[in-house]
Amino acid sequence: MAYALDPELAAAIPMIPEQDFSDLPAARLRMKELLASMGGEIDATGVTVREEQVPGPDGAPDVRVLVYTPDRITTPSLLFDVHGGGFIVGDAEMGNEGNIGLARDLGVVVVSVDYRLAPEAPYPSGLEDCYAALVWAAKNAGDLGIDPERIVIHGVSAGGGLCAALALLARDRGGPAIAFQFLGVPEIDDRLETPSMRKFVDTPLWNRPRAEFSWDSYLGPGVRGTEGVPVHAAPGRATDLTGLPPAYISVMEFDPLRDEGIAYAQGLLAAGVTTELHLFPGTFHGSGLMKHATISRREAAEAKAVLARALGAELV
């Protein structure tokens, strides 16, 4: 199908390597190589990055996190980052360039969590890892130099879905306070029934067949779309969104996840949760990787501005 993509993005599509998830170890390696080739050498000036092993969920292994501490701290808030990758690929280093940039430019401590991946560790493993890391961050606020009442969670794609679930889980368990949730193109509904999900079967980088594979990996074969899938697995199913932190949600015009993100924003607003929603025209899922495009620069600048406001940080 032909899509009215932004011309700068359309011109870059032939350069995107085809991703085949049938061999997940190979796909995970290709993803790391792709991000490395697109990002180039990372300038870590002004930021110290360290690795920590923090207590995992009951009966589960410790959770690896990366802590980014800037030389110049301007806010006691914490940015808690959850990487994307369809629940099946990616790691804490996936957001290295962005997290280093945010730590340095906003003067904020960043924690990135290396949660277990599906299908080897299906739901709720990844989410419980994220929750365990969140609890650790709040309990160790003094060592981190942050205010545990000012934690901002941030995720894109499956990371956005896990952040939405994390906000629900923290509310329902009376867990750490979350001041704000940044949900970039969130993957939140396993039912795959929205118009955009039904229509976009061959869009770049992410489409319905990949969404099907992602949810089957995360929930287990034959589970997606059935009764009883919990809201902490698929936040798009949640009917009670009261008491959640303020949110920012981005969606891309030609992304199968578009309509579930819009619906979630509408649900949050109906529940009295302050929510900002932005649809970027002519874009597709992951199109922000094409950093040269004007629309991608707009997306990146807005994300930084939204996070700066949520964190109470200086935008430099």
Side-chain angles (χ1 to χ4, degrees), residues 53-65 80 113-117 121-136 139 162 166 169 173:
Q53 297 286 337
V54 309
D58 289 344
D62 287 350
V63 179
R64 175 175 171 267
V65 301
F80 186 87
V113 56
D114 202 8
Y115 58 88
R116 287 170 290 171
L117 300 175
Y123 171 83
S125 301
L127 176 60
E128 291 290 358
D129 286 351
C130 293
Y131 187 78
L134 180 70
V135 169
W136 170 83
K139 285 183 176 179
L162 286 166
L166 195 58
L169 197 60
R173 290 182 177 175

PDB file of all heavy atoms in Angstrom, residues 53-65 80 113-117 121-136 139 162 166 169 173:
ATOM      1  N   GLN A  53      23.646  -3.852  39.703  1.00  0.00           N
ATOM      2  CA  GLN A  53      22.783  -5.021  39.789  1.00  0.00           C
ATOM      3  C   GLN A  53      21.862  -4.798  40.986  1.00  0.00           C
ATOM      4  O   GLN A  53      22.337  -4.708  42.121  1.00  0.00           O
ATOM      5  CB  GLN A  53      23.602  -6.298  39.956  1.00  0.00           C
ATOM      6  CG  GLN A  53      24.511  -6.612  38.780  1.00  0.00           C
ATOM      7  CD  GLN A  53      23.753  -7.112  37.565  1.00  0.00           C
ATOM      8  OE1 GLN A  53      22.639  -7.623  37.654  1.00  0.00           O
ATOM      9  NE2 GLN A  53      24.358  -6.964  36.390  1.00  0.00           N
ATOM     10  N   VAL A  54      20.567  -4.688  40.755  1.00  0.00           N
ATOM     11  CA  VAL A  54      19.638  -4.346  41.827  1.00  0.00           C
ATOM     12  C   VAL A  54      18.734  -5.551  42.097  1.00  0.00           C
ATOM     13  O   VAL A  54      18.550  -6.416  41.233  1.00  0.00           O
ATOM     14  CB  VAL A  54      18.812  -3.096  41.466  1.00  0.00           C
ATOM     15  CG1 VAL A  54      19.738  -1.972  41.025  1.00  0.00           C
ATOM     16  CG2 VAL A  54      17.782  -3.383  40.390  1.00  0.00           C
ATOM     17  N   PRO A  55      18.159  -5.638  43.302  1.00  0.00           N
ATOM     18  CA  PRO A  55      17.321  -6.787  43.640  1.00  0.00           C
ATOM     19  C   PRO A  55      16.151  -6.943  42.667  1.00  0.00           C
ATOM     20  O   PRO A  55      15.425  -5.990  42.392  1.00  0.00           O
ATOM     21  CB  PRO A  55      16.825  -6.455  45.052  1.00  0.00           C
ATOM     22  CG  PRO A  55      17.858  -5.531  45.613  1.00  0.00           C
ATOM     23  CD  PRO A  55      18.321  -4.711  44.449  1.00  0.00           C
ATOM     24  N   GLY A  56      15.991  -8.151  42.150  1.00  0.00           N
ATOM     25  CA  GLY A  56      14.923  -8.424  41.209  1.00  0.00           C
ATOM     26  C   GLY A  56      13.634  -8.805  41.909  1.00  0.00           C
ATOM     27  O   GLY A  56      13.547  -8.786  43.151  1.00  0.00           O
ATOM     28  N   PRO A  57      12.617  -9.180  41.149  1.00  0.00           N
ATOM     29  CA  PRO A  57      11.365  -9.656  41.747  1.00  0.00           C
ATOM     30  C   PRO A  57      11.616 -10.907  42.578  1.00  0.00           C
ATOM     31  O   PRO A  57      12.633 -11.589  42.411  1.00  0.00           O
ATOM     32  CB  PRO A  57      10.490  -9.977  40.519  1.00  0.00           C
ATOM     33  CG  PRO A  57      11.133  -9.255  39.373  1.00  0.00           C
ATOM     34  CD  PRO A  57      12.595  -9.181  39.684  1.00  0.00           C
ATOM     35  N   ASP A  58      10.684 -11.230  43.454  1.00  0.00           N
ATOM     36  CA  ASP A  58      10.839 -12.412  44.302  1.00  0.00           C
ATOM     37  C   ASP A  58      11.092 -13.648  43.448  1.00  0.00           C
ATOM     38  O   ASP A  58      10.342 -13.942  42.513  1.00  0.00           O
ATOM     39  CB  ASP A  58       9.577 -12.628  45.144  1.00  0.00           C
ATOM     40  CG  ASP A  58       9.424 -11.592  46.242  1.00  0.00           C
ATOM     41  OD1 ASP A  58      10.428 -10.913  46.545  1.00  0.00           O
ATOM     42  OD2 ASP A  58       8.314 -11.460  46.785  1.00  0.00           O
ATOM     43  N   GLY A  59      12.173 -14.362  43.781  1.00  0.00           N
ATOM     44  CA  GLY A  59      12.487 -15.590  43.086  1.00  0.00           C
ATOM     45  C   GLY A  59      13.102 -15.417  41.719  1.00  0.00           C
ATOM     46  O   GLY A  59      13.317 -16.402  40.999  1.00  0.00           O
ATOM     47  N   ALA A  60      13.398 -14.188  41.327  1.00  0.00           N
ATOM     48  CA  ALA A  60      13.949 -13.899  39.997  1.00  0.00           C
ATOM     49  C   ALA A  60      15.358 -13.331  40.136  1.00  0.00           C
ATOM     50  O   ALA A  60      15.761 -12.884  41.209  1.00  0.00           O
ATOM     51  CB  ALA A  60      13.055 -12.919  39.243  1.00  0.00           C
ATOM     52  N   PRO A  61      16.121 -13.336  39.051  1.00  0.00           N
ATOM     53  CA  PRO A  61      17.486 -12.794  39.119  1.00  0.00           C
ATOM     54  C   PRO A  61      17.495 -11.300  39.408  1.00  0.00           C
ATOM     55  O   PRO A  61      16.478 -10.601  39.265  1.00  0.00           O
ATOM     56  CB  PRO A  61      18.042 -13.090  37.717  1.00  0.00           C
ATOM     57  CG  PRO A  61      17.129 -14.107  37.119  1.00  0.00           C
ATOM     58  CD  PRO A  61      15.793 -13.890  37.731  1.00  0.00           C
ATOM     59  N   ASP A  62      18.662 -10.814  39.811  1.00  0.00           N
ATOM     60  CA  ASP A  62      18.853  -9.374  39.936  1.00  0.00           C
ATOM     61  C   ASP A  62      18.606  -8.702  38.593  1.00  0.00           C
ATOM     62  O   ASP A  62      18.697  -9.329  37.528  1.00  0.00           O
ATOM     63  CB  ASP A  62      20.272  -9.050  40.403  1.00  0.00           C
ATOM     64  CG  ASP A  62      20.484  -9.377  41.871  1.00  0.00           C
ATOM     65  OD1 ASP A  62      19.498  -9.670  42.569  1.00  0.00           O
ATOM     66  OD2 ASP A  62      21.647  -9.364  42.314  1.00  0.00           O
ATOM     67  N   VAL A  63      18.301  -7.431  38.653  1.00  0.00           N
ATOM     68  CA  VAL A  63      18.025  -6.646  37.451  1.00  0.00           C
ATOM     69  C   VAL A  63      19.198  -5.695  37.211  1.00  0.00           C
ATOM     70  O   VAL A  63      19.627  -4.982  38.119  1.00  0.00           O
ATOM     71  CB  VAL A  63      16.718  -5.841  37.596  1.00  0.00           C
ATOM     72  CG1 VAL A  63      16.456  -5.014  36.332  1.00  0.00           C
ATOM     73  CG2 VAL A  63      15.550  -6.772  37.880  1.00  0.00           C
ATOM     74  N   ARG A  64      19.686  -5.697  36.011  1.00  0.00           N
ATOM     75  CA  ARG A  64      20.780  -4.808  35.640  1.00  0.00           C
ATOM     76  C   ARG A  64      20.220  -3.442  35.243  1.00  0.00           C
ATOM     77  O   ARG A  64      19.262  -3.356  34.472  1.00  0.00           O
ATOM     78  CB  ARG A  64      21.563  -5.416  34.473  1.00  0.00           C
ATOM     79  CG  ARG A  64      22.664  -4.551  33.905  1.00  0.00           C
ATOM     80  CD  ARG A  64      23.432  -5.329  32.840  1.00  0.00           C
ATOM     81  NE  ARG A  64      24.366  -4.502  32.120  1.00  0.00           N
ATOM     82  CZ  ARG A  64      24.081  -3.882  30.975  1.00  0.00           C
ATOM     83  NH1 ARG A  64      22.896  -4.015  30.416  1.00  0.00           N
ATOM     84  NH2 ARG A  64      24.993  -3.140  30.374  1.00  0.00           N
ATOM     85  N   VAL A  65      20.808  -2.391  35.782  1.00  0.00           N
ATOM     86  CA  VAL A  65      20.427  -1.041  35.381  1.00  0.00           C
ATOM     87  C   VAL A  65      21.684  -0.251  35.050  1.00  0.00           C
ATOM     88  O   VAL A  65      22.781  -0.564  35.524  1.00  0.00           O
ATOM     89  CB  VAL A  65      19.618  -0.301  36.475  1.00  0.00           C
ATOM     90  CG1 VAL A  65      18.339  -1.053  36.817  1.00  0.00           C
ATOM     91  CG2 VAL A  65      20.452  -0.056  37.721  1.00  0.00           C
ATOM     92  N   PHE A  80      13.433   7.829  34.640  1.00  0.00           N
ATOM     93  CA  PHE A  80      13.492   6.366  34.657  1.00  0.00           C
ATOM     94  C   PHE A  80      13.125   5.881  33.264  1.00  0.00           C
ATOM     95  O   PHE A  80      11.977   5.997  32.825  1.00  0.00           O
ATOM     96  CB  PHE A  80      12.512   5.825  35.699  1.00  0.00           C
ATOM     97  CG  PHE A  80      12.592   4.331  35.916  1.00  0.00           C
ATOM     98  CD1 PHE A  80      13.483   3.792  36.820  1.00  0.00           C
ATOM     99  CD2 PHE A  80      11.764   3.478  35.210  1.00  0.00           C
ATOM    100  CE1 PHE A  80      13.552   2.423  37.035  1.00  0.00           C
ATOM    101  CE2 PHE A  80      11.817   2.106  35.411  1.00  0.00           C
ATOM    102  CZ  PHE A  80      12.710   1.574  36.326  1.00  0.00           C
ATOM    103  N   VAL A 113      16.657   0.598  32.642  1.00  0.00           N
ATOM    104  CA  VAL A 113      16.509  -0.763  33.159  1.00  0.00           C
ATOM    105  C   VAL A 113      16.657  -1.797  32.047  1.00  0.00           C
ATOM    106  O   VAL A 113      16.101  -1.646  30.959  1.00  0.00           O
ATOM    107  CB  VAL A 113      15.154  -0.923  33.893  1.00  0.00           C
ATOM    108  CG1 VAL A 113      13.987  -0.559  32.988  1.00  0.00           C
ATOM    109  CG2 VAL A 113      14.982  -2.335  34.428  1.00  0.00           C
ATOM    110  N   ASP A 114      17.410  -2.843  32.338  1.00  0.00           N
ATOM    111  CA  ASP A 114      17.669  -3.920  31.384  1.00  0.00           C
ATOM    112  C   ASP A 114      16.777  -5.115  31.736  1.00  0.00           C
ATOM    113  O   ASP A 114      17.229  -6.101  32.290  1.00  0.00           O
ATOM    114  CB  ASP A 114      19.145  -4.316  31.436  1.00  0.00           C
ATOM    115  CG  ASP A 114      19.604  -5.019  30.166  1.00  0.00           C
ATOM    116  OD1 ASP A 114      18.831  -5.061  29.201  1.00  0.00           O
ATOM    117  OD2 ASP A 114      20.740  -5.523  30.152  1.00  0.00           O
ATOM    118  N   TYR A 115      15.495  -4.989  31.417  1.00  0.00           N
ATOM    119  CA  TYR A 115      14.517  -6.015  31.789  1.00  0.00           C
ATOM    120  C   TYR A 115      14.653  -7.267  30.917  1.00  0.00           C
ATOM    121  O   TYR A 115      15.184  -7.225  29.806  1.00  0.00           O
ATOM    122  CB  TYR A 115      13.100  -5.446  31.689  1.00  0.00           C
ATOM    123  CG  TYR A 115      12.723  -4.912  30.321  1.00  0.00           C
ATOM    124  CD1 TYR A 115      12.169  -5.738  29.346  1.00  0.00           C
ATOM    125  CD2 TYR A 115      12.893  -3.563  30.008  1.00  0.00           C
ATOM    126  CE1 TYR A 115      11.815  -5.245  28.092  1.00  0.00           C
ATOM    127  CE2 TYR A 115      12.544  -3.060  28.770  1.00  0.00           C
ATOM    128  CZ  TYR A 115      12.002  -3.913  27.816  1.00  0.00           C
ATOM    129  OH  TYR A 115      11.649  -3.420  26.572  1.00  0.00           O
ATOM    130  N   ARG A 116      14.148  -8.396  31.428  1.00  0.00           N
ATOM    131  CA  ARG A 116      14.177  -9.649  30.673  1.00  0.00           C
ATOM    132  C   ARG A 116      13.238  -9.577  29.467  1.00  0.00           C
ATOM    133  O   ARG A 116      12.184  -8.938  29.518  1.00  0.00           O
ATOM    134  CB  ARG A 116      13.768 -10.814  31.578  1.00  0.00           C
ATOM    135  CG  ARG A 116      14.814 -11.226  32.599  1.00  0.00           C
ATOM    136  CD  ARG A 116      14.244 -12.207  33.609  1.00  0.00           C
ATOM    137  NE  ARG A 116      13.288 -11.550  34.507  1.00  0.00           N
ATOM    138  CZ  ARG A 116      12.517 -12.207  35.370  1.00  0.00           C
ATOM    139  NH1 ARG A 116      12.558 -13.534  35.430  1.00  0.00           N
ATOM    140  NH2 ARG A 116      11.700 -11.536  36.176  1.00  0.00           N
ATOM    141  N   LEU A 117      13.657 -10.240  28.401  1.00  0.00           N
ATOM    142  CA  LEU A 117      12.921 -10.192  27.136  1.00  0.00           C
ATOM    143  C   LEU A 117      12.093 -11.446  26.921  1.00  0.00           C
ATOM    144  O   LEU A 117      12.429 -12.540  27.379  1.00  0.00           O
ATOM    145  CB  LEU A 117      13.902 -10.024  25.968  1.00  0.00           C
ATOM    146  CG  LEU A 117      14.774  -8.764  25.970  1.00  0.00           C
ATOM    147  CD1 LEU A 117      15.761  -8.824  24.805  1.00  0.00           C
ATOM    148  CD2 LEU A 117      13.925  -7.503  25.892  1.00  0.00           C
ATOM    149  N   ALA A 121      11.320 -14.945  28.534  1.00  0.00           N
ATOM    150  CA  ALA A 121      10.757 -14.495  29.806  1.00  0.00           C
ATOM    151  C   ALA A 121       9.486 -13.698  29.501  1.00  0.00           C
ATOM    152  O   ALA A 121       9.525 -12.473  29.391  1.00  0.00           O
ATOM    153  CB  ALA A 121      11.773 -13.643  30.566  1.00  0.00           C
ATOM    154  N   PRO A 122       8.364 -14.368  29.323  1.00  0.00           N
ATOM    155  CA  PRO A 122       7.123 -13.682  28.955  1.00  0.00           C
ATOM    156  C   PRO A 122       6.545 -12.876  30.121  1.00  0.00           C
ATOM    157  O   PRO A 122       7.060 -12.934  31.248  1.00  0.00           O
ATOM    158  CB  PRO A 122       6.190 -14.830  28.559  1.00  0.00           C
ATOM    159  CG  PRO A 122       6.681 -16.006  29.348  1.00  0.00           C
ATOM    160  CD  PRO A 122       8.169 -15.833  29.450  1.00  0.00           C
ATOM    161  N   TYR A 123       5.461 -12.137  29.837  1.00  0.00           N
ATOM    162  CA  TYR A 123       4.760 -11.394  30.884  1.00  0.00           C
ATOM    163  C   TYR A 123       4.480 -12.323  32.065  1.00  0.00           C
ATOM    164  O   TYR A 123       4.098 -13.475  31.869  1.00  0.00           O
ATOM    165  CB  TYR A 123       3.436 -10.835  30.335  1.00  0.00           C
ATOM    166  CG  TYR A 123       2.561 -10.236  31.407  1.00  0.00           C
ATOM    167  CD1 TYR A 123       2.774  -8.929  31.830  1.00  0.00           C
ATOM    168  CD2 TYR A 123       1.544 -10.986  32.019  1.00  0.00           C
ATOM    169  CE1 TYR A 123       1.990  -8.385  32.838  1.00  0.00           C
ATOM    170  CE2 TYR A 123       0.770 -10.443  33.031  1.00  0.00           C
ATOM    171  CZ  TYR A 123       0.992  -9.143  33.440  1.00  0.00           C
ATOM    172  OH  TYR A 123       0.221  -8.599  34.438  1.00  0.00           O
ATOM    173  N   PRO A 124       4.704 -11.848  33.308  1.00  0.00           N
ATOM    174  CA  PRO A 124       4.991 -10.470  33.714  1.00  0.00           C
ATOM    175  C   PRO A 124       6.473 -10.187  33.972  1.00  0.00           C
ATOM    176  O   PRO A 124       6.786  -9.208  34.652  1.00  0.00           O
ATOM    177  CB  PRO A 124       4.205 -10.347  35.002  1.00  0.00           C
ATOM    178  CG  PRO A 124       4.349 -11.715  35.630  1.00  0.00           C
ATOM    179  CD  PRO A 124       4.320 -12.681  34.474  1.00  0.00           C
ATOM    180  N   SER A 125       7.376 -11.016  33.450  1.00  0.00           N
ATOM    181  CA  SER A 125       8.789 -10.914  33.813  1.00  0.00           C
ATOM    182  C   SER A 125       9.365  -9.528  33.571  1.00  0.00           C
ATOM    183  O   SER A 125       9.959  -8.914  34.462  1.00  0.00           O
ATOM    184  CB  SER A 125       9.594 -11.960  33.035  1.00  0.00           C
ATOM    185  OG  SER A 125       9.141 -13.265  33.301  1.00  0.00           O
ATOM    186  N   GLY A 126       9.232  -9.015  32.328  1.00  0.00           N
ATOM    187  CA  GLY A 126       9.808  -7.722  31.999  1.00  0.00           C
ATOM    188  C   GLY A 126       9.232  -6.600  32.839  1.00  0.00           C
ATOM    189  O   GLY A 126       9.964  -5.726  33.337  1.00  0.00           O
ATOM    190  N   LEU A 127       7.915  -6.613  33.025  1.00  0.00           N
ATOM    191  CA  LEU A 127       7.268  -5.573  33.820  1.00  0.00           C
ATOM    192  C   LEU A 127       7.710  -5.649  35.275  1.00  0.00           C
ATOM    193  O   LEU A 127       7.991  -4.616  35.901  1.00  0.00           O
ATOM    194  CB  LEU A 127       5.746  -5.711  33.715  1.00  0.00           C
ATOM    195  CG  LEU A 127       4.933  -4.744  34.572  1.00  0.00           C
ATOM    196  CD1 LEU A 127       5.229  -3.290  34.208  1.00  0.00           C
ATOM    197  CD2 LEU A 127       3.437  -5.043  34.445  1.00  0.00           C
ATOM    198  N   GLU A 128       7.786  -6.858  35.831  1.00  0.00           N
ATOM    199  CA  GLU A 128       8.211  -6.987  37.223  1.00  0.00           C
ATOM    200  C   GLU A 128       9.656  -6.545  37.404  1.00  0.00           C
ATOM    201  O   GLU A 128      10.018  -5.987  38.448  1.00  0.00           O
ATOM    202  CB  GLU A 128       8.019  -8.431  37.695  1.00  0.00           C
ATOM    203  CG  GLU A 128       6.561  -8.847  37.826  1.00  0.00           C
ATOM    204  CD  GLU A 128       5.838  -8.176  38.991  1.00  0.00           C
ATOM    205  OE1 GLU A 128       6.464  -7.406  39.740  1.00  0.00           O
ATOM    206  OE2 GLU A 128       4.624  -8.422  39.150  1.00  0.00           O
ATOM    207  N   ASP A 129      10.498  -6.782  36.393  1.00  0.00           N
ATOM    208  CA  ASP A 129      11.868  -6.272  36.455  1.00  0.00           C
ATOM    209  C   ASP A 129      11.867  -4.746  36.527  1.00  0.00           C
ATOM    210  O   ASP A 129      12.623  -4.137  37.299  1.00  0.00           O
ATOM    211  CB  ASP A 129      12.664  -6.726  35.238  1.00  0.00           C
ATOM    212  CG  ASP A 129      13.042  -8.196  35.293  1.00  0.00           C
ATOM    213  OD1 ASP A 129      12.840  -8.844  36.340  1.00  0.00           O
ATOM    214  OD2 ASP A 129      13.544  -8.707  34.268  1.00  0.00           O
ATOM    215  N   CYS A 130      11.035  -4.120  35.683  1.00  0.00           N
ATOM    216  CA  CYS A 130      10.942  -2.661  35.687  1.00  0.00           C
ATOM    217  C   CYS A 130      10.451  -2.151  37.037  1.00  0.00           C
ATOM    218  O   CYS A 130      10.978  -1.158  37.573  1.00  0.00           O
ATOM    219  CB  CYS A 130      10.005  -2.186  34.575  1.00  0.00           C
ATOM    220  SG  CYS A 130      10.618  -2.478  32.903  1.00  0.00           S
ATOM    221  N   TYR A 131       9.467  -2.835  37.600  1.00  0.00           N
ATOM    222  CA  TYR A 131       8.932  -2.405  38.892  1.00  0.00           C
ATOM    223  C   TYR A 131       9.990  -2.553  39.989  1.00  0.00           C
ATOM    224  O   TYR A 131      10.140  -1.670  40.849  1.00  0.00           O
ATOM    225  CB  TYR A 131       7.681  -3.213  39.242  1.00  0.00           C
ATOM    226  CG  TYR A 131       6.976  -2.726  40.484  1.00  0.00           C
ATOM    227  CD1 TYR A 131       6.173  -1.590  40.438  1.00  0.00           C
ATOM    228  CD2 TYR A 131       7.130  -3.376  41.701  1.00  0.00           C
ATOM    229  CE1 TYR A 131       5.532  -1.128  41.580  1.00  0.00           C
ATOM    230  CE2 TYR A 131       6.495  -2.922  42.848  1.00  0.00           C
ATOM    231  CZ  TYR A 131       5.691  -1.792  42.780  1.00  0.00           C
ATOM    232  OH  TYR A 131       5.056  -1.328  43.914  1.00  0.00           O
ATOM    233  N   ALA A 132      10.724  -3.664  39.952  1.00  0.00           N
ATOM    234  CA  ALA A 132      11.777  -3.872  40.947  1.00  0.00           C
ATOM    235  C   ALA A 132      12.837  -2.772  40.856  1.00  0.00           C
ATOM    236  O   ALA A 132      13.318  -2.269  41.879  1.00  0.00           O
ATOM    237  CB  ALA A 132      12.411  -5.243  40.755  1.00  0.00           C
ATOM    238  N   ALA A 133      13.199  -2.396  39.629  1.00  0.00           N
ATOM    239  CA  ALA A 133      14.186  -1.328  39.450  1.00  0.00           C
ATOM    240  C   ALA A 133      13.639   0.011  39.915  1.00  0.00           C
ATOM    241  O   ALA A 133      14.372   0.841  40.487  1.00  0.00           O
ATOM    242  CB  ALA A 133      14.616  -1.253  37.986  1.00  0.00           C
ATOM    243  N   LEU A 134      12.349   0.249  39.686  1.00  0.00           N
ATOM    244  CA  LEU A 134      11.716   1.481  40.150  1.00  0.00           C
ATOM    245  C   LEU A 134      11.725   1.548  41.673  1.00  0.00           C
ATOM    246  O   LEU A 134      12.045   2.594  42.260  1.00  0.00           O
ATOM    247  CB  LEU A 134      10.285   1.554  39.617  1.00  0.00           C
ATOM    248  CG  LEU A 134       9.472   2.789  40.008  1.00  0.00           C
ATOM    249  CD1 LEU A 134      10.010   4.031  39.312  1.00  0.00           C
ATOM    250  CD2 LEU A 134       7.990   2.590  39.662  1.00  0.00           C
ATOM    251  N   VAL A 135      11.380   0.437  42.323  1.00  0.00           N
ATOM    252  CA  VAL A 135      11.399   0.383  43.785  1.00  0.00           C
ATOM    253  C   VAL A 135      12.812   0.629  44.304  1.00  0.00           C
ATOM    254  O   VAL A 135      13.024   1.379  45.272  1.00  0.00           O
ATOM    255  CB  VAL A 135      10.862  -0.984  44.275  1.00  0.00           C
ATOM    256  CG1 VAL A 135      11.132  -1.166  45.767  1.00  0.00           C
ATOM    257  CG2 VAL A 135       9.368  -1.105  43.979  1.00  0.00           C
ATOM    258  N   TRP A 136      13.808   0.013  43.669  1.00  0.00           N
ATOM    259  CA  TRP A 136      15.202   0.225  44.071  1.00  0.00           C
ATOM    260  C   TRP A 136      15.582   1.700  43.962  1.00  0.00           C
ATOM    261  O   TRP A 136      16.227   2.255  44.874  1.00  0.00           O
ATOM    262  CB  TRP A 136      16.123  -0.611  43.193  1.00  0.00           C
ATOM    263  CG  TRP A 136      17.571  -0.272  43.375  1.00  0.00           C
ATOM    264  CD1 TRP A 136      18.406  -0.731  44.344  1.00  0.00           C
ATOM    265  CD2 TRP A 136      18.351   0.638  42.571  1.00  0.00           C
ATOM    266  NE1 TRP A 136      19.658  -0.169  44.198  1.00  0.00           N
ATOM    267  CE2 TRP A 136      19.649   0.673  43.117  1.00  0.00           C
ATOM    268  CE3 TRP A 136      18.053   1.402  41.435  1.00  0.00           C
ATOM    269  CZ2 TRP A 136      20.658   1.458  42.569  1.00  0.00           C
ATOM    270  CZ3 TRP A 136      19.061   2.189  40.896  1.00  0.00           C
ATOM    271  CH2 TRP A 136      20.343   2.217  41.455  1.00  0.00           C
ATOM    272  N   LYS A 139      13.993   3.658  46.797  1.00  0.00           N
ATOM    273  CA  LYS A 139      14.599   3.339  48.088  1.00  0.00           C
ATOM    274  C   LYS A 139      16.017   3.900  48.212  1.00  0.00           C
ATOM    275  O   LYS A 139      16.481   4.172  49.321  1.00  0.00           O
ATOM    276  CB  LYS A 139      14.620   1.826  48.294  1.00  0.00           C
ATOM    277  CG  LYS A 139      13.272   1.227  48.645  1.00  0.00           C
ATOM    278  CD  LYS A 139      13.403  -0.267  48.914  1.00  0.00           C
ATOM    279  CE  LYS A 139      12.078  -0.874  49.355  1.00  0.00           C
ATOM    280  NZ  LYS A 139      12.187  -2.340  49.609  1.00  0.00           N
ATOM    281  N   LEU A 162       5.294  -0.572  28.531  1.00  0.00           N
ATOM    282  CA  LEU A 162       5.723  -0.983  29.860  1.00  0.00           C
ATOM    283  C   LEU A 162       5.619   0.165  30.861  1.00  0.00           C
ATOM    284  O   LEU A 162       5.288  -0.051  32.029  1.00  0.00           O
ATOM    285  CB  LEU A 162       7.154  -1.522  29.805  1.00  0.00           C
ATOM    286  CG  LEU A 162       7.291  -2.915  29.187  1.00  0.00           C
ATOM    287  CD1 LEU A 162       8.748  -3.225  28.854  1.00  0.00           C
ATOM    288  CD2 LEU A 162       6.724  -3.987  30.112  1.00  0.00           C
ATOM    289  N   LEU A 166       3.574   0.199  34.128  1.00  0.00           N
ATOM    290  CA  LEU A 166       4.279   0.509  35.365  1.00  0.00           C
ATOM    291  C   LEU A 166       3.500   1.532  36.191  1.00  0.00           C
ATOM    292  O   LEU A 166       3.412   1.420  37.426  1.00  0.00           O
ATOM    293  CB  LEU A 166       5.672   1.034  35.027  1.00  0.00           C
ATOM    294  CG  LEU A 166       6.729   1.101  36.122  1.00  0.00           C
ATOM    295  CD1 LEU A 166       6.957  -0.274  36.733  1.00  0.00           C
ATOM    296  CD2 LEU A 166       8.028   1.653  35.541  1.00  0.00           C
ATOM    297  N   LEU A 169       0.629  -0.313  37.714  1.00  0.00           N
ATOM    298  CA  LEU A 169       1.093  -1.228  38.757  1.00  0.00           C
ATOM    299  C   LEU A 169       1.479  -0.472  40.021  1.00  0.00           C
ATOM    300  O   LEU A 169       1.139  -0.893  41.139  1.00  0.00           O
ATOM    301  CB  LEU A 169       2.282  -2.030  38.224  1.00  0.00           C
ATOM    302  CG  LEU A 169       2.666  -3.307  38.968  1.00  0.00           C
ATOM    303  CD1 LEU A 169       1.518  -4.302  38.968  1.00  0.00           C
ATOM    304  CD2 LEU A 169       3.906  -3.943  38.333  1.00  0.00           C
ATOM    305  N   ARG A 173      -0.439  -1.076  43.533  1.00  0.00           N
ATOM    306  CA  ARG A 173       0.316  -1.648  44.649  1.00  0.00           C
ATOM    307  C   ARG A 173       0.683  -0.614  45.710  1.00  0.00           C
ATOM    308  O   ARG A 173       1.278  -0.966  46.727  1.00  0.00           O
ATOM    309  CB  ARG A 173       1.597  -2.300  44.129  1.00  0.00           C
ATOM    310  CG  ARG A 173       1.369  -3.562  43.324  1.00  0.00           C
ATOM    311  CD  ARG A 173       2.687  -4.176  42.874  1.00  0.00           C
ATOM    312  NE  ARG A 173       2.476  -5.431  42.168  1.00  0.00           N
ATOM    313  CZ  ARG A 173       3.443  -6.138  41.573  1.00  0.00           C
ATOM    314  NH1 ARG A 173       4.700  -5.693  41.607  1.00  0.00           N
ATOM    315  NH2 ARG A 173       3.162  -7.256  40.956  1.00  0.00           N
TER     316      ARG A 173
END
